[in-house]
């Protein structure tokens, strides 16, 4: 990863921040991204990553807005000169049963999680073709198995799998690889809000008997983005402690 340039969306906290730290620790230059309300966390993340001695900058952009993604792509090219790896990590939940879900709750989750991956990928892909780079996107086990109260979220994460597989067929001839990871339940601010009782049930159904750590997702993403995975494309790697068995 030495001297590679990596963009991780939604990287001010949680799994995204852990991915950024992993790439920086491997010698990569890192473009952080998040929405403006996360700017303080982005500044903190930039400071925390300074220990690895690589270049780190942050770029404010809402992934659900194509124009801001295109501007971000230009700004990253201007700051770093190239882009080798894109990690589509930005994501949100708005959980409610479909009977009670509002059209806004449906649309917002699809807009960030699925259209967001489209917007960023469309904006960055020309750069990745130049570098024969790689994309890794965050799906989820619930994109395969579904989950009570998450029709919007699981539809968005199933969509990420379709996007990954189709795009891998389109860009393999350019030497660009496209993969996804499907995490189980990982300890981050996103899952901190789950009721304790539900956390207990999830652990019971997870072979490893625990939630995962963000670093355990970051390790696999770094592998998939690296030359070690040079013949892996269109794959979805479950990283769930055995939850989906
Ligand atoms: N935590 C889990 O158990 C789990 C499991 C499976 C998949 N995932 C996926 O992993 C990814 C990271 O999740 P996390 O647990 O670290 O969540 P998180 O809420 O801690 O982090 C998500 C980040 O995305 C950012 N974000 C939200 N909307 C954005 C937008 N429009 N533009 C740019 N950035 C935006 C948030 O501000 C936040 O910093 C998400 O895609 C999530 O769906 C998480």
């Amino acid at each position: 990863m030495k001297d590679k340039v990596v963009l991780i969306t939604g990287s001010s906290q949680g799994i995204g921040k852990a991915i950024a730290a992993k790439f920086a620790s491997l010698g990569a230059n890192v473009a952080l991204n998040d929405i403006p309300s996360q700017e303080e966390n982005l500044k903190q993340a930039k400071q925390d990553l300074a220990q690895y001695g690589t270049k780190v900058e942050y770029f404010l952009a809402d992934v659900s807005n194509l124009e801001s993604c295109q501007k971000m792509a230009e700004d990253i090219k201007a700051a770093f000169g190239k882009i080798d790896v894109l990690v589509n990590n930005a994501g949100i939940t708005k959980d409610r049963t479909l009977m009670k879900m509002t059209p806004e709750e449906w649309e917002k989750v699809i807009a960030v999680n699925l259209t967001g991956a489209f917007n960023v990928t469309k904006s960055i892909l020309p750069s990745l073709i130049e570098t024969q780079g790689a994309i890794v996107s965050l799906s989820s086990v619930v994109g395969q198995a579904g989950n009570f109260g998450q029709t919007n979220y699981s539809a968005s994460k199933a969509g990420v799998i379709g996007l990954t597989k189709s795009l891998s067929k389109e860009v393999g001839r350019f030497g660009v690889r496209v993969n996804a990871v499907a995490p189980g339940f990982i300890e981050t601010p996103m899952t901190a809000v789950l009721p304790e009782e539900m956390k207990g049930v999830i652990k019971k159904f997870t072979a490893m008997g625990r939630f995962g750590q963000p670093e355990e997702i970051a390790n696999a993403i770094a592998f998939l983005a690296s030359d070690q995975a040079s013949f892996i494309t269109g794959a979805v790697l479950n990283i769930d402690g055995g939850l989906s068995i």
Side-chain angles (χ1 to χ4, degrees), residues 9-16 33-35 38 61-64 88-92 108 112-113 138-141 153 157 183-191:
T9 64
S11 45
S12 68
Q13 63 176 38
I15 295 172
N33 152 264
D34 219 296
I35 46 180
Q38 290 286 106
D62 180 338
V63 298
S64 66
N88 283 312
N89 169 79
I92 58 168
K108 181 72 185 166
V112 174
N113 297 6
L138 275 284
S139 179
S140 166
V141 285
Y153 183 79
K157 294 299 181 181
F185 286 82
I186 311 302
E187 255 181 52
T188 71
M190 184 181 271
T191 53

Side-chain angles (χ1 to χ4, degrees), residues 42-74:
L42 279 171
K43 281 184 187 161
Q44 184 63 50
K46 181 178 169 175
Q47 213 172 306
D48 294 346
L49 265 57
Q51 59 177 303
Y52 301 111
T54 65
K55 183 170 169 169
V56 182
E57 296 292 344
Y58 69 79
F59 300 85
L60 297 173
D62 180 338
V63 298
S64 66
N65 181 307
L66 180 59
E67 272 175 30
S68 30
C69 293
Q70 283 169 338
K71 184 175 181 310
M72 171 166 69
E74 284 164 23

